[in-house]
């Protein structure tokens, strides 16, 4: 009787440990490893540059299934690895959560992928430089060529217009859809008193835009402080300059990537 009980307990322990081993070695996501690496590197780049802190996220649409997107479990962007990346549907539901906690504001990403078939990557940040332009009547405009993508304007979305007094978070699909409507066909939308969202045809470009949106905002604030008339990039010049920036995106990306990987080794 005693021996039988010991065997039963041992069997239970084996099956429990077997279960946990199975959970840890779940099949990897069926997406190109280079895409997972871009999400990880992009997150670390933006953390390194102070665009993302403990908040914010970088995501990518699943190239094998345009109705799914990829983003990390809830974790500070500087800490994520490829193993932390999960798959979601366009309503923001995790496909295989396995007990992992997810970002509350994943609906930002879900709603934009649903509304914009051209968008393959989305970055949400609380970048400090843009906040003044989200709470004032001064529009964010392109003041230098690296931010040429802003020459067509960046709309400001105010959650209070449709949803009244909230905690400011994009915590469901209805709020996400409202944000996506304000983004329209633009590359950037500012969120009043919160941050911004940039989008792009790939992770590198969405990350580039997140960084240079912050840099441009800081430069515009400085230019306004000088107190004289400012000459901004016109939409026509912006279009030309943006296409040149996009043509050399790999040069920029490889430099940034090397920088974050060197710092990881320290
Ligand atoms: Mn946020």
């Amino acid at each position: 009787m005693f021996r039988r009980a010991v065997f039963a307990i041992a069997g239970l322990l084996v099956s429990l440990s077997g279960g946990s081993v199975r959970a840890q070695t779940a099949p990897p996501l069926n997406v190109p490893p280079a895409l997972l690496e871009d999400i990880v590197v992009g997150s670390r780049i933006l953390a390194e540059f102070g665009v993302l802190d403990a908040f914010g996220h970088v995501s990518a649409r699943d190239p094998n299934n345009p109705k799914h997107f990829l983003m990390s479990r809830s974790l500070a962007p500087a800490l994520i690895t490829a193993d932390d990346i999960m798959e979601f549907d366009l309503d923001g539901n995790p496909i295989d959560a396995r007990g992992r906690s997810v970002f509350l504001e994943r609906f930002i990403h879900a709603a934009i992928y649903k509304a914009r078939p051209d968008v393959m990557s989305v970055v949400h940040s609380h970048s400090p430089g843009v906040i003044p332009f989200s709470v004032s009547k001064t529009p964010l405009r392109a003041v230098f060529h690296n931010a040429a993508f802003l020459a067509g304007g960046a709309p400001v979305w105010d959650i209070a217009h449709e949803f009244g007094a909230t905690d400011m978070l994009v915590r469901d699909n209805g709020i996400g859809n409202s944000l996506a409507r304000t983004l329209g066909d633009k590359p950037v939308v500012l969120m009043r008193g919160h941050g911004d969202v940039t989008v792009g045809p790939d992770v590198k470009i969405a990350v580039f835009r997140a960084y240079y949106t912050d840099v441009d905002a800081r430069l515009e604030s400085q230019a306004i402080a000088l107190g004289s008339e400012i000459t901004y990039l016109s939409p026509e010049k912006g279009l030309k300059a943006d296409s040149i920036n996009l043509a050399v995106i790999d040069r920029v990306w490889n430099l940034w990537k090397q920088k974050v990987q060197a710092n990881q080794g320290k």
Side-chain angles (χ1 to χ4, degrees):
M1 190 66 189
F2 173 73
R3 281 172 63 115
R4 204 180 298 167
V6 167
F7 281 130
I9 290 167
L12 181 66
L13 288 175
V14 165
S15 73
L16 281 176
S17 76
S20 99
V21 167
R22 268 197 303 279
Q24 282 164 14
T25 56
L29 293 170
N30 181 29
V31 294
L35 181 62
L36 299 179
E37 190 193 28
D38 282 351
I39 296 174
V40 170
V41 169
S43 302
R44 288 172 182 262
I45 287 169
L46 292 176
E48 176 85 17
F49 289 160
V51 176
L52 299 178
D53 47 19
F55 304 100
H57 5 88
V58 177
S59 73
R61 193 191 293 273
D62 181 346
N64 299 325
N65 179 356
K67 295 194 160 149
H68 284 179
F69 69 96
L70 307 155
M71 74 188 289
S72 165
R73 69 187 172 94
S74 179
L75 201 62
L79 304 180
I80 76 163
T81 67
D83 290 340
D84 296 309
I85 295 172
M86 302 172 60
E87 191 152 18
F88 297 85
D89 68 20
L90 297 192
D91 288 321
N93 301 308
I95 303 306
D96 179 21
R98 281 185 275 124
R100 293 171 290 183
S101 59
V102 295
F103 284 115
L104 185 67
E105 290 199 298
R106 61 195 182 280
F107 302 103
I108 293 172
H109 304 254
I112 291 173
Y113 289 122
K114 203 185 278 183
R116 289 274 301 269
D118 61 306
V119 167
M120 294 302 283
S121 179
V122 175
V123 176
H124 167 53
S125 75
H126 301 169
S127 73
V130 308
I131 300 296
F133 296 92
S134 79
V135 297
S136 69
K137 298 283 181 227
T138 305
L140 181 64
R141 297 175 66 180
V143 294
F144 80 139
H145 70 291
N146 285 9
F149 57 89
L150 289 171
V156 179
W157 175 76
D158 185 345
I159 192 169
H161 284 167
E162 273 187 72
F163 303 99
T166 65
D167 60 7
M168 306 287 284
L169 299 174
V170 182
R171 53 170 60 252
D172 63 41
N173 284 307
I175 302 175
N177 292 340
S178 167
L179 175 64
R181 278 195 298 276
T182 303
L183 170 69
D185 62 357
K186 296 285 195 294
V188 181
V189 59
L190 308 191
M191 303 160 77
R192 193 264 304 163
H194 183 156
D196 67 80
V197 179
T198 61
V199 303
D202 63 34
V203 174
K204 295 172 187 176
I205 293 170
V207 167
F208 177 95
R209 287 174 173 167
Y211 174 63
Y212 281 112
T213 295
D214 189 57
V215 175
D216 186 89
R218 291 170 191 269
L219 294 177
E220 187 177 340
S221 293
Q222 289 176 25
I224 290 168
L226 293 176
S228 59
E229 191 187 338
I230 300 169
T231 305
Y232 295 99
L233 267 72
S234 67
E236 304 75 52
K237 282 193 188 124
L239 213 58
K240 280 187 199 161
D242 194 38
S243 64
I244 293 167
N245 292 336
L246 300 188
V248 296
I249 188 74
D250 279 334
R251 191 206 307 168
V252 179
W253 185 262
N254 290 337
L255 172 71
W256 288 351
K257 181 174 168 180
Q258 196 181 55
K259 190 176 158 112
V260 292
Q261 288 178 337
N263 286 353
Q264 263 175 269
K266 278 179 194 164

